[in-house]
Amino acid sequence: METTYVYIADLAVSQNEGLLVTIGLGSCVGVALYDAKRKIAGLVHILLNDSKQYLRDRSNQFNPAKFADTAIPELIKAMEERGASRGALVAHLAGGSQLFDYKFDGVGIGQKNIEAARAKLKELGIAILSEDTGGDYGRTMKINAGSGEVIISSLSREKKLTFINPRGVGSD
Amino acid sequence: MRDAGITEQHKDILAELANIGTGNAATALSQMLDHEKILLEVPEVNISPLQHVPESLGDPGQKIAAIMMEAACDELELTILLALPLPATLSLIDQLLPEGLEPLGEMGRSLLMELGNILTGSYLNALSDMTGLTFTLSPPGLGLDMAGALLGSVIADKAMLEDSFILIKTTMHILSREVEGNLLLLPSAGSLHKILARLGAQ
């Protein structure tokens, strides 16, 4: 099976057989989207909640995958280019935790990221099928493009949560 | 990034700074551990794209203890992080704790934080001496988790402006225990040239 790693502030799309993996979601939020009919999966590792709050460094290209409000539309666009249908998409969320036992962790950046991702998905009319967010531990998120199966694992909890898209949800 | 224009000379100066800082930190650590031998590697100075920061301590999925502090002086901001692998760190903590206490209990965590505090504090003292700047330090924050998740959280609130980071990494080996730790210094975007200027760089 082909495995594609999604880095921080990065996104990837896979079809049929591929596995998308993002390691180490801390305050970051991972959003996985899936089109079950066409077996197309997308995964984005979002760092921050709102692109509008932040000044853009003029010397750099703007990276939409960094911010929740721009990352989700960008992921949808990339999936549509591979043939996915927007109306068929369902979402899974993971991450948004607070790892340092001191406010340092950017004072609730994790929580802000979760809320921004939920709001953007709601605005776009995409249902959230599973969510494993918050808490004080990091997560690794995987989505299998063939089955739509999402696996969230963590070190401190040593547990795996598996979600599979129920039939009929989000199909068009 | 904004600090484009980091020359080889700048990297050498930063490496020297890290060398002296980590030397100080290693001395402090050695004293805590009954004068155990600590070996320091040559510091690495890298400009890393945002995407690759979580791998800067190796496998982003490995479990580490990270103790982080922020130092500020006027408009200068630095983040300094001590990263130690688990479970090697736990055996080290276990030896320093009175018998019968859990390495990750309240005392153990507090000891780990103090360890970070002393090491990063002595690193920053060296930095202060060399630059003539006095830093205000935040209390230490402790995280025990995947290296990638911890580093991602550390850079999250610094990534608003930047798409690449200067990472100054020094690896320490506590020889008899086979523990390899890293001290990582992350200057914020505007800070780097100010530090370099203070150190007499062109």
Side-chain angles (χ1 to χ4, degrees), chain A residues 7-9 24 26-27 47-48 54-55 57 60-61 63 66 99-102 104-105 109 137-140 155, chain B residues 2 50-51 55 61 63 66 68 70 109 139 141-143 145-146 149-150 152-154 156-157 159-163:
Chain A
Y7 297 103
I8 196 166
S27 61
L47 190 67
L48 291 162
Y54 305 109
L55 295 168
D57 187 335
N60 284 309
Q61 293 280 322
N63 174 9
K66 205 155 133 177
L99 297 184
F100 286 92
D101 61 357
Y102 158 58
F104 223 169
D105 209 0
I109 283 183
Y137 55 95
R139 296 167 174 90
T140 287
L155 289 178
Chain B
R2 294 187 165 199
L50 170 65
Q51 273 83 352
E55 299 152 56
K63 189 167 185 177
M68 169 174 65
E70 287 200 334
R109 292 175 82 93
L142 171 68
D145 216 297
M146 291 178 229
L150 289 162
S153 300
V154 168
D157 62 348
M160 298 161 191
L161 289 168
E162 294 170 70
D163 288 317

Side-chain angles (χ1 to χ4, degrees), chain B residues 14-63:
Chain B
L14 293 169
E16 185 53 20
L17 185 84
N19 204 16
I20 295 169
T22 321
N24 249 21
T27 305
L29 180 63
S30 174
Q31 281 165 4
M32 279 178 84
L33 299 173
D34 270 342
H35 303 282
E36 231 178 282
K37 276 204 177 116
I38 293 164
L39 184 81
L40 294 180
E41 287 185 20
V42 177
E44 292 170 34
V45 181
N46 287 309
I47 299 169
S48 170
L50 170 65
Q51 273 83 352
H52 296 294
V53 172
E55 299 152 56
S56 53
L57 297 173
D59 173 13
Q62 67 178 314
K63 189 167 185 177

Side-chain angles (χ1 to χ4, degrees), chain B residues 108-163:
Chain B
R109 292 175 82 93
S110 153
L111 185 71
L112 202 48
M113 247 193 268
E114 195 46 32
L115 188 76
N117 211 356
I118 292 168
L119 263 66
T120 54
S122 34
Y123 191 126
L124 286 165
N125 273 344
L127 196 60
S128 264
D129 288 347
M130 290 167 80
T131 57
L133 299 167
T134 309
F135 294 100
T136 321
L137 293 181
S138 72
L142 171 68
L144 303 164
D145 216 297
M146 291 178 229
L150 289 162
L151 285 168
S153 300
V154 168
I155 58 167
D157 62 348
K158 293 160 192 66
M160 298 161 191
L161 289 168
E162 294 170 70
D163 288 317

Side-chain angles (χ1 to χ4, degrees), chain A residues 59-137:
Chain A
S59 66
N60 284 309
Q61 293 280 322
F62 175 65
N63 174 9
K66 205 155 133 177
F67 304 97
D69 59 332
T70 47
I72 295 169
E74 191 71 13
L75 180 62
I76 295 171
K77 200 172 94 188
M79 292 175 75
E80 283 175 339
E81 280 166 11
R82 297 279 290 269
S85 162
R86 182 179 292 238
L89 297 178
V90 290
H92 302 267
L93 288 190
S97 58
Q98 173 123 357
L99 297 184
F100 286 92
D101 61 357
Y102 158 58
K103 61 166 179 137
F104 223 169
D105 209 0
V107 196
I109 283 183
Q111 192 56 36
K112 282 188 199 163
N113 284 343
I114 299 164
E115 282 163 16
R118 281 185 198 141
K120 195 70 200 177
L121 289 166
K122 190 177 178 189
E123 181 195 316
L124 297 168
I126 297 171
I128 300 172
L129 284 197
S130 76
E131 198 179 306
D132 183 32
T133 54
D136 61 357
Y137 55 95

Side-chain angles (χ1 to χ4, degrees), chain B residues 2-15:
Chain B
R2 294 187 165 199
D3 287 308
I6 298 295
T7 64
E8 285 306 309
Q9 189 217 359
H10 293 157
K11 285 190 176 180
D12 288 346
I13 292 171
L14 293 169

